[in-house]
Amino acid sequence: MGLREVLLAVFAFGALAFALAVVSTRNTVYAALEFVAHLLCLAALYCLLDAPLLGVLQVMVYAGAIMVLFLFAVMMLDIQETGRESAFQGPGQVAGALLLAALLFALLVFGADRFPAAALAPAAAPGAPGVGADNVVRVARALFERGALVFEAVGVLLLTAVVAVMVMAKRRLEN
Amino acid sequence: MNPLLVVLFLPLATAVFNRLFGARLGKGAAAGLACASVLVAFAFAADSVLGLAALPAASRQVLVHVYDLLDLASFRVGFDLLLDPLSGMMILVVTGIGFLIHLYAVGYMHEEDAGEYARFFAYVNFFVFSMLTLVLAANFLVIFTGWELVGVSSYLLIGFYRGKTSAADAGKKAFIVNRVGDFGFLMAIFLIWNAFGSLDFSAVLPHAAALSPGMATAVGLLLFMGAAGKSAQGPLHVWLPDAMEGPTPVSALIHAATMVTAGVFLVARCHAIFELSPLALGVVAWTGALTAFLAATVAMVQVDIKRVWAYSTVSQLGYMVLGVGVGAYTAGLFHLLTHAFFKALLFLAAGSVMHALHGELDMRRMGGLWRKMPLTCATMIVGAACLAGVPLTSGFFSKDEILLMALRGPHADFGLWLLGYLGAACTAFYSGRLIFSVFFGKPRDHHAYEHAHESPWVMGLPLVLLAVGSLAVGLLGLPGFLTHWQPFTDWLAPVFADLKAVPEASASRALVLGLMALYTGTVAVLGWIAWRLYTGEAAAHPADGEATSALHRLLWNKYFFDEAYGFVFVRALLGYSRWLWRWVDQGLVDGTVNGVAAAAQAAGDFLRGRVHNGRTRQYAAYLAAGACLLLGLALIYHR
Amino acid sequence: MAFTVTVMGLLIFAAAVAANFAGMILTSTILGPKRRNSVKDQPFECGSLPVGPTHTRFHIRFYLTAILFLIFDIEVVFLYPFITILRPELGVTGLWIMGAFLAVLVFGLAYEWRRGGMEWD
Amino acid sequence: MFGVGFFLALAFALFAVGAFGVLTRRDPLVMFMCIEMMFNSGNLALVALSRYLGLASGHALVFFVVAVAAAEVAVGLGIIIAIFRTEKDVNVDHLSELKG
């Protein structure tokens, strides 16, 4: 078990543990911070999976920008009220949710198991996207050569989001 | 970058720009931009076509892959453009004549305010883009996209005067009637996909012979249904005359030079499929001939000058369809080319008259206008001469070729020729009637006459250029016995190289000359009759609603097509629906349903209380449960 | 069934995680000293009294600014891989692709600016 | 041990945890975080499969998913803020006005 395996184990553990923490923490601010930690673990996992670009993306966009939005939202809402109540509702509901989540997990696992093993066999050498600059170049090709139209559509989607937020927030500013 | 992309996307870019910012730029900038973009597109189109001409004849096909529209494992359709002699000719017509019409519109639309002005040019540019997509398509998906875009842009343009109910109705009518044809086109595309597993022209048309005869007939007839809708043929022609509600440059651009030729273009493009089915070709040819004749008879009695030209367009499209229907594709396309010139000219000249008379379109109130507007008069006479088929004009050569093919071509029939000949006679009469009533004789409405004036140069210049073009374009397709210099036929030869029997008419020179003499005589006699009838003091125009005979009433009412549609589709459908409603619905269905409904409502009320209760998390639970259910089902049923 | 074995491994792993987690918290609760007095519970042990509520609500302007940040964040993230293949492979087409994307995003910025999303008062 | 199966299992587990959170938490912000967690589990599966199949297209897909998630979060949080600043209440269960 080399260093990579140890790191993988640590960050996989971290991702799962912080995910559980997000679900079980009462205080929203703490939940948000735990969620950031969860995202950082995932970013580390991406790096270990030979996707350093995505690791950076995860840190910059998710842990950086998106979570900042979350924290602002938390700060804008009055969170004291919910803090007092239990995070979960009655035991019946929790049990039902647990059952559903477990069922979902089991079905997904069995579904993946059903997958023909050949489909999951590495086509090229494992880790073919490669490390370093080559990885970025390959992803860039996939992004801008085959996905150019999708890329533009993402731009339009972001524009839509800006306009939508402005419309919702502006009414508030004017009041 | 391929010049074709500039040809295609420059008009689109200016259309978007003008729609967004044109109103703020002011009239001059908006119009200048629109005209410039079409002119540049024309230059690039000419460049592409010259490049194409430089290739050896057999390999004159350029495929441009723009983008993968769909790339699934078994189904790949690209946004592909095909430049071959056929589409090359079409893009020159669309951008060239389109530019002249843009130029004319600069003057014609001048009285609109800046916002409307920019909107007009945005729509016209968008139309040019749509039409270019249609003709440059390299597969059936792209051609259908262009087909629909043309439908949308024509809807926008016909209903341009959005304050007028009649304009809005005409736009809707054009759209809906076209949809009927589009349904056929779409069905044909499904059948083609089913038979070939591909929509690319290169994968379908050269291998069309693989179709079974029945399938070829079905595909051909369905394709022609689409073509008939766009090209205003047969019973689907009713939208075109109403489409004159749009501004006159639109009538010239859409309903004369470009959009309506799409059907002819489609049949020519897919000739490999039509050639497999004599039945489909027969339907095409007879539809064309009947349309040519019937529309020409209607045009003889109309008094609104734009409406006369509208019916004349339907009639001339009939000739083109007749041409492609008898297997004379080159002749049909040549008529398309000449018609694009002279009919655009005629509409623009009619617009010029209308402009001078402040919107007056009734020829009974005109007369003697040649003194007031000599340029319009001269150019319109040139156009009308081409339309009527006066010897040595372009229309004479192109129509003559079609009629000869109808009589002696590979799928000839005497009845087709007779209908075509009678239609040509009517054409000569109504062209003369219109010219003589409008420009000659004594003015009938002195007030209007006094205020008439010649149009500004931006409107005059396109008229002159189109008149010159109308005369010159005939040189490209002189009759075979006069000269061996046949640029038009030679140019299109690679497209129709697959035809087994080259449609060289098996006609002796004596027959050809005899027919020409017959047409010349007919035109002369009918022109003279029209002169006698319509230049006199009391011109032979009956007033509105005053029917001189049953025949006149039939023609005045355009064979009651609209009324028949009203009766068959609207009245009958309403009656049938009412019967269904009264007996089947209220009696049978409601009786059963009311009981069920009461039960369902009770259940619904119960469920709404329990299920649709506004609790977000409960909804999430349904979502998760549904996902589980689907996953489970997939696990069970997937092997 | 190698996969299921792996999952079993993961489950055992998760159980160990949970046990470890619970164990540490439990140990600190049992072993930690618990001596509370009123001074210790004050927010500031130096003696100064807190004024006003500890939770102050942020103004929505912060949110609008954060949205802008998000947009340009995404833009930068896309720019990085773009630049690596701009010169040899994409060429002028690439500039058009990115130009259109940037134009759309700048349009969003201009819109927010025009609507007063950046005015602080 | 760390084959593609491990990462898929981890992704499934995160997905299930996220689903559980959405089903049980009442704070809309935490629910939203849990939805993001489910998003991320999908991303993780994509990255792992790309790694073991030697494809770069999965990475490109993750890029798009993250960009879409950013837009979604911006609008979603905007809606939550707008609703709860008028309602003065941050409990999803008390919010049933939008039902039919």
Side-chain angles (χ1 to χ4, degrees):
Chain A
M1 207 153 140
L3 180 61
R4 180 172 174 272
E5 279 73 21
V6 173
L7 288 175
L8 275 177
V10 168
F11 286 118
F13 169 77
L16 198 57
F18 283 118
L20 288 167
V22 171
V23 174
S24 54
T25 309
R26 261 187 233 165
N27 190 315
T28 317
V29 180
Y30 293 161
L33 292 176
E34 283 151 4
F35 190 51
V36 173
H38 164 76
L39 294 171
L40 290 176
C41 287
L42 281 182
L45 280 182
Y46 292 167
C47 292
L48 291 168
L49 281 170
D50 295 340
L53 188 60
L54 292 183
V56 174
L57 172 82
Q58 183 84 359
V59 174
M60 281 183 67
V61 177
Y62 252 114
I66 293 183
M67 285 320 293
V68 168
L69 280 189
F70 263 105
L71 283 173
F72 276 135
V74 172
M75 293 303 180
M76 262 176 275
L77 302 179
D78 200 350
I79 55 162
Q80 282 166 316
E81 290 307 310
T82 39
R84 301 244 161 70
E85 297 175 50
S86 148
F88 305 107
Q89 230 171 8
Q93 287 215 340
V94 175
L98 206 56
L99 194 69
L100 262 179
L103 188 61
L104 210 53
F105 179 66
L107 284 167
L108 283 170
V109 168
F110 285 128
D113 219 19
R114 208 52 103 60
F115 229 77
L120 288 180
V131 219
D134 182 46
N135 168 273
V136 180
V137 169
R138 285 195 52 182
V139 176
R141 275 188 207 133
L143 270 177
F144 296 105
E145 280 169 10
R146 289 203 60 211
L149 195 64
V150 186
F151 176 59
E152 302 298 346
V154 164
V156 176
L157 186 72
L158 287 171
L159 174 65
T160 319
V162 172
V163 173
V165 170
M166 274 309 295
V167 168
M168 281 188 294
K170 189 65 186 169
R171 197 176 305 132
R172 188 139 301 286
L173 277 180
E174 276 156 6
N175 283 350
Chain B
M1 195 151 63
N2 196 295
L4 276 185
L5 297 180
V6 179
V7 175
L8 187 60
F9 288 111
L10 192 63
L12 176 66
T14 44
V16 172
F17 184 82
N18 259 344
R19 188 73 186 95
L20 289 177
F21 310 109
R24 263 173 251 164
L25 286 180
K27 288 186 185 182
L33 202 63
C35 293
S37 77
V38 180
L39 186 62
V40 172
F42 176 70
F44 275 89
D47 178 52
S48 307
V49 172
L50 286 178
L52 190 69
L55 297 172
S59 58
R60 277 184 195 151
Q61 271 202 338
V62 181
L63 197 68
V64 182
H65 177 72
V66 183
Y67 196 79
D68 275 336
L69 286 177
L70 279 176
D71 190 3
L72 309 177
S74 56
F75 184 45
R76 207 196 130 270
V77 186
F79 186 14
D80 294 337
L81 305 180
L82 173 69
L83 181 69
D84 69 348
L86 182 56
S87 54
M89 170 196 126
M90 292 300 290
I91 59 173
L92 287 182
V93 171
V94 172
T95 53
I97 295 188
F99 170 67
L100 292 179
I101 292 170
H102 269 73
L103 201 60
Y104 175 90
V106 172
Y108 186 83
M109 302 299 286
H110 204 74
E111 283 154 30
E112 303 289 330
D113 65 43
E116 295 293 281
Y117 201 67
R119 187 165 70 94
F120 176 79
F121 279 104
Y123 288 168
V124 179
N125 271 13
F126 183 62
F127 173 80
V128 170
F129 161 74
S130 313
M131 192 67 202
L132 289 170
T133 311
L134 196 162
V135 296
L136 281 172
N139 61 48
F140 282 99
L141 189 66
V142 176
I143 201 175
F144 188 73
T145 310
W147 197 265
E148 293 299 317
L149 285 177
V150 164
V152 173
S153 41
S154 75
Y155 166 78
L156 292 172
L157 283 168
I158 294 168
F160 180 75
Y161 295 125
R162 47 192 171 184
K164 271 166 75 184
T165 317
S166 59
D169 285 346
K172 273 188 281 184
K173 186 170 177 182
F175 201 70
I176 293 167
V177 174
N178 266 304
R179 293 298 314 166
V180 176
D182 293 346
F183 161 76
F185 192 12
L186 204 56
M187 288 295 132
I189 292 176
F190 290 155
L191 287 181
I192 286 169
W193 158 248
N194 197 27
F196 294 96
S198 169
L199 294 180
D200 290 340
F201 289 155
S202 57
V204 172
L205 299 177
H207 312 108
L211 283 173
S212 67
M215 189 56 91
T217 305
V219 174
L221 287 177
L222 286 170
L223 280 178
F224 181 61
M225 192 170 156
K230 242 347 140 222
S231 279
Q233 288 303 294
L236 296 181
H237 69 276
V238 288
W239 65 269
L240 199 148
D242 285 22
M244 298 304 131
E245 288 289 346
T248 302
V250 169
S251 308
L253 180 63
I254 300 190
H255 310 116
T258 52
M259 165 177 167
V260 289
T261 60
V264 183
F265 172 80
L266 180 70
V267 177
R269 178 58 95 201
C270 301
H271 65 271
I273 294 173
F274 284 94
E275 281 293 320
L276 294 172
S277 165
L279 175 63
L281 268 185
V283 170
V284 175
W286 279 98
T287 309
L290 281 168
T291 307
F293 173 67
L294 294 178
T297 54
V298 173
M300 290 200 301
V301 301
Q302 301 301 316
V303 292
D304 177 320
I305 55 178
K306 274 180 80 176
R307 206 161 270 272
V308 172
W309 293 148
Y311 274 99
S312 134
T313 303
V314 176
S315 163
Q316 297 304 306
L317 287 164
Y319 282 106
M320 296 173 214
V321 171
L322 168 64
V324 294
V326 295
Y329 300 103
T330 314
L333 289 170
F334 187 53
H335 196 54
L336 186 160
L337 181 66
T338 59
H339 177 258
F341 278 95
F342 67 69
K343 189 51 69 63
L345 168 61
L346 287 173
F347 268 116
L348 294 187
S352 176
V353 171
M354 184 179 163
H355 196 71
L357 298 181
H358 303 286
E360 182 60 62
L361 276 172
D362 190 336
M363 67 170 85
R364 289 171 301 190
R365 307 179 61 182
M366 300 175 185
L369 284 173
W370 70 271
R371 270 181 232 96
K372 287 284 188 173
M373 27 196 343
L375 181 71
T376 306
C377 171
T379 51
M380 199 180 206
I381 287 176
V382 170
C386 293
L387 172 66
V390 170
L392 304 183
T393 58
S394 58
F396 176 74
F397 294 127
S398 56
K399 207 183 293 179
D400 176 61
E401 186 71 12
I402 290 176
L403 290 178
L404 184 62
M405 286 298 189
L407 193 60
R408 278 289 181 269
H411 306 278
D413 192 298
F414 182 73
L416 293 174
W417 177 83
L418 188 64
L419 281 173
Y421 169 69
L422 292 175
C426 299
T427 308
F429 177 76
Y430 70 70
S431 313
R433 169 174 176 265
L434 192 145
I435 293 291
F436 301 141
S437 322
V438 172
F439 291 110
F440 297 97
K442 296 259 165 51
R444 295 186 198 91
D445 182 335
H446 286 278
H447 177 74
Y449 177 79
E450 290 308 323
H451 288 82
H453 57 86
E454 186 58 278
S455 301
W457 71 268
V458 277
M459 290 166 71
L461 181 66
L463 291 179
V464 174
L465 290 176
L466 282 171
V468 173
S470 299
L471 290 174
V473 74
L475 294 176
L476 297 176
L478 292 174
F481 70 90
L482 276 182
T483 168
H484 289 298
W485 187 69
Q486 294 286 348
F488 191 77
T489 313
D490 294 343
W491 173 248
L492 286 179
V495 180
F496 300 110
D498 57 315
L499 295 181
K500 278 171 233 95
V502 180
E504 194 65 54
S506 54
S508 66
R509 184 175 297 188
L511 176 69
V512 175
L513 286 173
L515 286 175
M516 281 190 174
L518 176 64
Y519 303 146
T520 311
T522 314
V523 169
V525 169
L526 285 162
W528 180 74
I529 295 175
W531 169 265
R532 288 300 305 267
L533 280 176
Y534 293 105
T535 53
E537 189 69 45
H541 288 298
D544 267 351
E546 178 202 325
T548 46
S549 68
L551 181 66
H552 184 264
R553 219 176 70 190
L554 184 67
L555 295 180
W556 175 258
N557 288 300
K558 308 135 198 167
Y559 294 102
F560 296 99
F561 259 108
D562 285 319
E563 287 75 8
Y565 278 134
F567 187 76
V568 175
F569 292 117
V570 182
R571 286 266 311 278
L573 215 60
L574 271 183
Y576 180 59
S577 313
R578 204 161 286 138
W579 178 81
L580 280 179
W581 165 58
R582 183 81 24 93
W583 297 106
V584 180
D585 205 40
Q586 284 199 326
L588 186 69
V589 181
D590 283 9
T592 342
V593 166
N594 282 342
V596 178
Q601 187 169 12
D605 282 345
F606 173 77
L607 279 178
R608 195 182 55 166
R610 286 295 168 86
V611 179
H612 192 58
N613 55 8
R615 288 203 195 116
T616 320
R617 293 183 306 140
Q618 208 158 318
Y619 296 169
Y622 300 145
L623 205 62
C628 285
L629 195 67
L630 283 178
L631 270 170
L633 284 176
L635 276 178
I636 292 169
Y637 287 106
H638 186 73
R639 266 168 290 150
Chain C
M1 284 286 160
F3 187 74
T4 320
V5 173
T6 330
V7 173
M8 286 310 290
L10 188 80
L11 288 177
I12 296 170
F13 192 65
V17 167
N20 190 7
F21 209 47
M24 287 204 300
I25 293 174
L26 210 66
T27 323
S28 70
T29 327
I30 294 169
L31 296 181
K34 289 180 281 291
R35 275 190 297 273
R36 309 178 65 160
N37 58 48
S38 59
V39 177
K40 226 181 171 179
D41 283 344
Q42 281 179 355
F44 305 108
E45 283 186 77
C46 57
S48 61
L49 293 172
V51 178
T54 46
H55 284 281
T56 50
R57 288 161 105 192
F58 279 33
H59 198 270
I60 193 134
R61 290 183 200 111
F62 291 102
Y63 190 71
L64 290 179
T65 315
I67 292 280
L68 277 189
F69 170 60
L70 180 75
I71 300 304
F72 288 101
D73 209 33
I74 300 253
E75 181 181 321
V76 167
V77 155
F78 274 105
L79 271 175
Y80 177 61
F82 170 76
I83 282 165
T84 59
I85 60 163
L86 176 62
R87 270 290 290 286
E89 293 174 37
L90 290 177
V92 182
T93 326
L95 288 182
W96 280 109
I97 294 175
M98 188 47 83
F101 182 74
L102 293 187
V104 169
L105 288 190
V106 168
F107 192 75
L109 174 67
Y111 178 80
E112 187 163 347
W113 200 333
R114 277 286 296 273
R115 293 286 305 262
M118 284 191 241
E119 282 153 29
W120 210 242
D121 309 290
Chain D
M1 179 181 175
F2 297 109
V4 64
F6 174 82
F7 292 102
L8 284 183
L10 180 61
F12 297 160
L14 290 177
F15 190 83
V17 171
F20 177 76
V22 174
L23 292 181
T24 51
R25 296 300 303 257
R26 263 178 298 184
D27 184 339
L29 291 168
V30 180
M31 282 177 76
F32 213 2
M33 284 181 219
C34 291
I35 291 172
E36 293 302 311
M37 200 185 289
M38 291 158 84
F39 254 109
N40 270 303
S41 78
N43 281 352
L44 179 63
L46 275 173
V47 173
L49 282 170
S50 299
R51 159 74 161 69
Y52 287 94
L53 296 179
L55 297 169
S57 50
H59 292 191
L61 209 51
V62 173
F63 253 83
F64 291 135
V65 170
V66 170
V68 170
E72 173 240 342
V73 167
V75 177
L77 286 179
I79 292 173
I80 291 178
I81 292 171
I83 290 178
F84 290 99
R85 302 251 309 196
T86 45
E87 293 294 315
K88 306 282 184 218
D89 188 1
V90 256
N91 189 331
V92 216
D93 288 348
H94 300 164
L95 237 207
S96 53
E97 260 166 51
L98 294 178
K99 73 171 180 173

